[in-house]
């Protein structure tokens, strides 16, 4: 369409009362007509598009205030000069510039994205090239380390030794809670350096099955198959019979620390009086090899494996034999609270009956905070802590409690002063008895809250950290 054909109704006397149609630039040609006279008639009003207005009309084009002002100014000048064509061309050029800017922005964005992708590709390529260069031109010591122990290479036959089963594994004071849930029970925990594992056992048909509930039990997952037999195999490797040994070694499962005992925490789920004798009987393969921690009537003799009973384990059966026992009790931590403001020595001497010589602890009963007292029928709060040290190192190993039940809920990863007082008092009471503190039922999510609670418990002096996420605990990123 030519410019001259777009004009109509222009009188010599002016442009008032007439509509002047101006060409609109759409990026290719001036192919649409615009009504510009309305801006002359109402230059101060902000144009508002209506349903009858074609898309892209001048009223739409001049929706921004700075464009409105520019068009109004040009129209006033043109009205004085009678040069309406110049106004139309100016408006069209203005619209062309706006469209050009939009295209330019899109073009720059696309170019920027392309440059970023090219840069990432170049970085990846350089990294691959450097890796290949390292493989091709590796220095002698790197090559020796990579090929050490291989047939025909430096160090052939030297990379193995009898107790290398757990090489490079450092023991850490963590407990594998519900260890049987791991894809590889026992071994997964040992790989991360855990010094304590847990097995829930159920007695059916004179056999001890392992699982969290009866629905998860199978005939082949037993205490023997998952724990006793594998431990015998591991300890056999760690205590080899060679020309250099006297066949009396009692090395533990960790080659880096042979003296570290592994705790096997057995949680009885069925009747304790009936189940416990079967547990004792199934320890025989470890017992006959002298691989269990024992109380010989006067002292504790540490061994590669320390067996501890929890859950429905009956305390009366654990302490029935006063001269020998090779399985110990998981004592109730929530009964051991002592005033954390009182200085207590952890060095205690025990008689053959397992009682402390200064049993009464400076002559006063242990008091619990109000939240840890049990109410009687008449409403009076009565301490539930024992007045004598029933639980000690001759019959117990752990002192455990549910974190949620004894300490309470944790809000935003912070513990109140009262909660810290409970933790400190329970830790003090357990340590005075020579027992190792363990809290179970710890927060597991959110991760930040879990890590915060782990840090607080370790700082306050617990002895074993109850863990579900093995890698998170062994990685140490929470500390």
């Amino acid at each position: 369409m030519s410019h001259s054909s777009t004009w109509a109704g222009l009188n010599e006397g002016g442009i008032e009362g007439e509509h002047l149609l101006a060409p609109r630039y759409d990026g290719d040609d001036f192919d649409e007509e615009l009504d510009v006279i309305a801006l002359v008639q109402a230059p101060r009003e902000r144009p508002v598009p209506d349903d009858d207005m074609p898309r892209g009309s001048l009223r739409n084009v001049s929706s921004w205030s700075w464009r409105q002002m520019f068009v109004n100014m040009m129209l006033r000048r043109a009205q004085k000069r009678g040069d309406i064509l110049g106004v139309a061309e100016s408006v069209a050029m203005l619209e062309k510039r706006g469209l050009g800017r939009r295209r330019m922005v899109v073009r720059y964005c696309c170019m920027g994205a392309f440059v970023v992708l090219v840069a990432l590709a170049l970085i990846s390529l350089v990294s691959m090239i450097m890796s290949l260069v390292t493989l091709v031109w590796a220095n002698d010591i790197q090559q020796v380390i990579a090929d050490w122990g291989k047939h025909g290479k430096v160090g052939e036959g030297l990379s193995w030794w009898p107790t290398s089963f757990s090489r490079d594994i450092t023991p850490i004071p963590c407990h594998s809670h519900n260890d049987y849930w791991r894809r590889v029970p026992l071994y997964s925990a040992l790989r991360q350096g855990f010094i304590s594992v847990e097995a829930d056992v159920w007695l059916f048909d004179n056999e001890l099955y392992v699982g969290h509930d009866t629905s998860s039990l199978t005939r082949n997952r037993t205490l023997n198959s998952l724990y006793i037999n594998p431990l015998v195999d591991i300890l056999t490797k760690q205590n080899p019979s060679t020309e250099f040994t006297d066949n009396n070694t009692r090395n533990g499962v960790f080659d880096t620390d042979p003296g570290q005992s592994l705790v096997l925490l057995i949680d009885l789920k069925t009747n304790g009086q009936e189940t416990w004798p079967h547990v004792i009987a199934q320890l025989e393969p470890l017992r006959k090899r002298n691989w269990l921690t024992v109380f010989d009537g006067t002292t504790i003799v540490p061994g590669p494996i320390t067996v501890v009973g929890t859950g429905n384990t009956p305390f009366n059966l654990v302490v029935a034999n006063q001269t020998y026992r090779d399985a110990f009790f998981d004592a109730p931590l929530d009964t051991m609270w002592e005033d954390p403001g009182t200085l207590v020595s952890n060095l205690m001497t025990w008689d053959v009956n397992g009682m402390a010589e200064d049993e009464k602890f400076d002559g006063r009963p242990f008091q619990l905070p109000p939240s840890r007292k049990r109410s009687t029928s008449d409403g009076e709060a009565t301490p539930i802590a024992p007045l004598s040290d029933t639980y000690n190192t001759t019959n117990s190993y752990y002192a455990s409690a549910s974190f949620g039940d004894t300490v309470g809920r944790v809000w935003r990863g912070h513990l109140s002063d009262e909660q810290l007082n409970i933790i400190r008092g329970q830790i003090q009471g357990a340590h005075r008895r020579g027992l190792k503190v363990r809290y179970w039922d710890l927060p597991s999510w959110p991760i930040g809250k879990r890590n915060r609670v782990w840090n607080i418990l370790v700082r306050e002096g617990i002895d074993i950290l109850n863990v579900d996420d093995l890698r998170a605990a062994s990685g140490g990123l929470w500390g």
Side-chain angles (χ1 to χ4, degrees):
M1 175 184 295
S2 65
H3 289 193
S4 60
S5 63
T6 63
W7 303 100
L10 180 61
N11 298 327
E12 295 181 358
I15 61 176
E16 293 184 2
E18 301 292 342
H19 290 272
L20 182 61
L21 301 179
R24 177 183 183 275
Y25 181 77
D26 68 351
D28 295 318
D29 196 3
F30 294 88
D31 62 352
E32 189 173 326
E33 295 177 328
L34 302 176
D35 187 354
V36 296
I37 194 62
L39 292 177
V40 180
Q41 296 174 337
R44 296 182 180 275
E45 297 180 1
R46 185 178 183 85
V48 178
D50 53 51
D51 295 337
D52 298 329
M53 183 185 298
R55 179 177 176 84
S57 69
L58 186 58
R59 293 178 183 176
N60 248 355
V61 171
S62 58
S63 59
W64 292 349
S65 60
W66 66 270
R67 298 183 72 181
Q68 177 73 56
M69 292 175 60
F70 176 79
V71 172
N72 289 347
M73 179 184 69
M74 295 296 295
L75 285 171
R76 290 193 187 94
R77 292 180 178 178
Q79 188 175 15
K80 293 178 179 180
R81 299 194 307 267
D83 185 13
I84 301 302
L85 180 60
V87 176
E89 291 179 346
S90 298
V91 171
M93 184 59 65
L94 183 63
E95 187 169 296
K96 178 180 178 181
R97 290 178 181 177
L99 181 61
R101 290 193 188 96
R102 289 193 295 273
R103 288 182 174 178
M104 185 177 300
V105 170
V106 173
R107 186 181 299 113
Y108 284 159
C109 289
C110 293
M111 290 179 61
F114 177 75
V115 170
V116 171
L117 291 176
V118 171
L120 292 176
L122 289 176
I123 293 174
S124 300
L125 180 61
V126 170
S127 177
M128 292 176 60
I129 293 175
M130 294 300 295
S131 299
L132 292 174
V133 169
T134 302
L135 291 175
V136 175
W137 286 287
N139 58 40
D140 291 341
I141 191 170
Q142 290 175 326
Q143 197 64 48
V144 168
I145 293 175
D147 296 335
W148 177 263
K150 296 180 180 179
H151 178 70
K153 301 294 183 178
V154 177
E156 178 180 358
L158 301 180
S159 62
W160 175 89
W161 62 94
T163 60
S164 61
F165 164 78
S166 55
R167 67 169 72 186
D168 299 330
I169 298 177
T170 301
I172 58 176
C174 291
H175 170 75
S176 178
H177 180 235
N178 293 338
D179 181 77
Y180 48 85
W181 271 345
R182 316 293 175 199
R183 191 180 70 84
V184 183
L186 179 62
Y187 291 94
S188 296
L190 295 182
R191 181 182 181 182
Q192 301 297 332
F194 280 41
I195 62 173
S196 181
V197 295
E198 178 180 338
D200 292 358
V201 299
W202 306 74
L203 178 64
F204 290 104
D205 302 327
N206 295 322
E207 183 61 85
L208 295 175
Y209 299 97
V210 175
H212 194 66
D213 49 38
T214 55
S215 300
S216 63
L217 302 182
T218 63
R219 288 290 180 182
N220 61 341
R221 289 174 63 88
T222 65
L223 182 63
N224 270 320
S225 65
L226 290 179
Y227 293 96
I228 303 300
N229 293 338
L231 285 174
V232 170
D233 292 341
I234 294 171
L235 292 176
T236 299
K237 296 175 182 177
Q238 300 304 103
N239 295 275
S241 178
T242 70
E243 59 182 306
F244 303 102
T245 62
D246 57 7
N247 297 327
N248 291 321
T249 59
R250 302 182 76 216
N251 295 328
V253 298
F254 297 106
D255 190 47
T256 56
D257 189 359
Q260 174 63 57
S261 184
L262 176 71
V263 177
L264 177 58
L265 183 66
I266 302 178
D267 188 345
L268 275 60
K269 295 299 185 180
T270 46
N271 182 275
Q273 299 293 330
E274 298 175 359
T275 307
W276 186 247
H278 289 271
V279 172
I280 297 300
Q282 293 203 7
L283 297 177
E284 185 58 29
L286 297 169
R287 181 181 297 113
K288 70 180 183 181
R289 292 171 172 81
N290 198 27
W291 286 339
L292 294 174
T293 296
V294 302
F295 170 64
D296 63 6
T298 57
T299 58
I300 299 294
V301 182
I305 305 296
T306 300
V307 177
V308 180
T310 188
N312 291 333
T313 299
F315 183 69
N316 65 307
L317 293 186
V318 173
V319 299
N321 190 333
Q322 295 293 318
T323 60
Y324 177 88
R325 63 181 65 106
D326 51 25
F328 299 85
F329 192 64
D330 185 16
L333 178 62
D334 57 350
T335 66
M336 298 183 182
W337 188 90
E338 298 175 355
D339 184 359
T342 304
L343 181 63
V344 182
S345 172
N346 288 325
L347 301 177
M348 306 296 291
T349 304
W350 307 94
D351 62 14
V352 294
N353 295 320
M355 304 304 295
E357 288 183 353
D358 74 332
E359 171 185 325
K360 294 184 179 180
F361 181 51
D362 76 9
R364 61 180 179 80
F366 305 134
Q367 299 295 322
L368 292 178
S371 61
R372 300 307 311 145
K373 293 182 179 181
R374 180 172 54 218
S375 296
T376 59
S377 58
D378 60 1
E380 182 181 358
T382 303
I384 61 176
L387 300 183
S388 61
D389 294 328
T390 302
Y391 309 105
N392 53 69
T393 55
T394 69
N395 56 48
S396 302
Y397 185 82
Y398 282 143
S400 303
S402 165
F403 185 87
D405 291 343
T406 59
V407 179
R409 297 186 62 181
V410 179
W411 295 99
R412 298 185 178 180
H414 296 283
L415 297 178
S416 65
D417 291 340
E418 181 184 0
Q419 289 175 315
L420 290 174
N421 185 62
I422 293 173
I423 293 173
R424 291 165 183 168
Q426 290 176 348
I427 290 176
Q428 178 173 296
H431 284 176
R432 188 182 65 80
R433 293 166 172 83
L435 306 182
K436 299 184 182 300
V437 176
R438 179 181 72 99
Y439 283 103
W440 51 277
D441 187 30
L442 298 177
S444 59
W445 191 89
I447 301 301
K449 177 194 290 187
R450 180 203 67 188
N451 293 349
R452 175 67 175 168
V453 171
W454 283 2
N455 271 294
I456 292 174
L457 292 179
V458 171
R459 182 193 68 196
E460 294 299 330
I462 65 165
D463 302 281
I464 196 83
L465 185 63
N466 201 81
V467 171
D468 290 303
D469 190 338
L470 304 183
R471 292 185 178 182
S474 61
L477 299 179
W478 53 272

